[in-house]
Amino acid sequence: MIATGFALMTFESVRQYGVSLFASAGVAGLVAGLAARPLLSSLIAGVQIAMTQPIRIDDAVVVEGEWGWVEEITSTYVVIKLWDWRRLIVPLSYFIEKPFQNWTRDGAAIIGSVFLYVDYSAPVERVREKLIEIVKASKLWDGRVVNLQVSDAKDHVIELRALVSARTSPIAWDLRCEVREKLIAFLREDYPGALPRQRADIDLHGFEPGMQTARGSRSAGSVRSPQLAPAESAP
């Protein structure tokens, strides 16, 4: 189109047609550029990813709140296999323009966390010893990190955070589930009083010892509304 425009502009009688052709070529170039912008940005992002390698095949990533593995990298998009076997298709430009999590950038090993909410009377040191015993007996632990700390204190419970490490993120998930299950069973069997409880203050003002509860006697640790005896018993 540029060559044709120049050729027409050499003749005085058709010069205006050459100018119009140049203008049309400029408009067409703008339209084509805008239409091809996603494709061009993806191609440029593909070159950048190939050079810097922020993601690689089989990397564990978190994109748009979804966790999965990089299954395929094409010239314009990335296929991420999610944990439930769905596929998330993401344009290459996403990994250049937006932040994302790469759990295996330098290595596959990862630290997993387990949170427990227990009563203030829970034996923290004993729970810590049990955690170490559980991970040492597990084949999923890589032998690097194991720790238990009181990470928070709320109105009715305290928060215990257990940290354990594993070779890969899927193994870390299984190890976290195993630790959580065994710690809950340990507390339920050996320290049931350490499980979360609700406490209540009961005002006994005006309560007479001779009054009976609905069951005929006062239950330990609970007070019910008094039930007065009838004036006369039935025959």
Side-chain angles (χ1 to χ4, degrees):
M1 293 180 68
I2 294 176
T4 304
F6 271 119
L8 293 175
M9 290 179 65
T10 59
F11 301 97
E12 187 66 29
S13 59
V14 292
R15 183 184 299 273
Q16 66 274 18
Y17 297 108
V19 175
S20 300
L21 190 60
F22 267 121
S24 302
V27 174
L30 290 176
V31 173
L34 292 176
R37 180 183 174 277
L39 177 61
L40 294 176
S41 62
S42 295
L43 292 175
I44 295 174
V47 174
Q48 292 178 301
I49 289 176
M51 296 176 60
T52 60
Q53 293 188 344
I55 56 172
R56 293 165 295 184
I57 298 295
D58 291 334
D59 273 352
V61 295
V62 178
V63 179
E64 296 292 326
E66 297 282 2
W67 182 88
W69 299 271
V70 177
E71 185 178 47
E72 183 182 359
I73 301 177
T74 70
S75 59
T76 56
Y77 62 87
V78 177
V79 179
I80 298 177
K81 181 181 179 181
L82 303 182
W83 64 274
D84 55 359
W85 296 354
R86 289 178 295 148
R87 300 303 192 272
L88 182 65
I89 311 299
V90 184
L92 279 176
S93 58
Y94 179 95
F95 297 95
I96 301 298
E97 300 173 355
K98 297 183 180 180
F100 64 95
Q101 298 183 36
N102 189 336
W103 290 13
T104 56
R105 179 67 177 85
D106 298 322
I110 193 171
I111 296 177
S113 59
V114 176
F115 290 93
L116 293 177
Y117 297 91
V118 297
D119 190 75
Y120 273 80
S121 61
V124 178
E125 186 60 33
R126 184 69 186 94
V127 177
R128 184 178 291 112
E129 295 174 357
K130 186 63 178 179
L131 170 65
I132 297 175
E133 176 185 337
I134 292 172
V135 296
K136 285 186 175 181
S138 176
K139 297 180 180 179
L140 305 175
W141 186 49
D142 63 355
R144 299 175 62 182
V145 176
V146 55
N147 189 21
L148 182 112
Q149 294 176 316
V150 179
S151 55
D152 198 1
K154 303 182 183 297
D155 294 340
H156 304 290
V157 295
I158 58 176
E159 181 185 80
L160 302 182
R161 186 187 68 173
L163 297 179
V164 291
S165 60
R167 294 186 301 275
T168 63
S169 50
I171 296 177
W173 171 266
D174 293 336
L175 180 59
R176 291 169 57 197
C177 294
E178 178 183 352
V179 167
R180 186 183 298 110
E181 178 182 343
K182 291 185 177 180
L183 283 180
I184 292 176
F186 164 72
L187 291 174
R188 186 177 63 247
E189 294 173 4
D190 293 8
Y191 299 95
L195 299 176
R197 293 180 293 177
Q198 292 288 341
R199 294 179 172 86
D201 294 331
I202 301 176
D203 186 8
L204 298 179
H205 179 71
F207 181 79
E208 298 181 5
M211 294 182 179
Q212 294 183 346
T213 63
R215 293 185 178 181
S217 61
R218 293 187 302 275
S219 302
S222 63
V223 177
R224 296 180 175 84
S225 58
Q227 180 181 4
L228 300 179
E232 55 183 8
S233 59

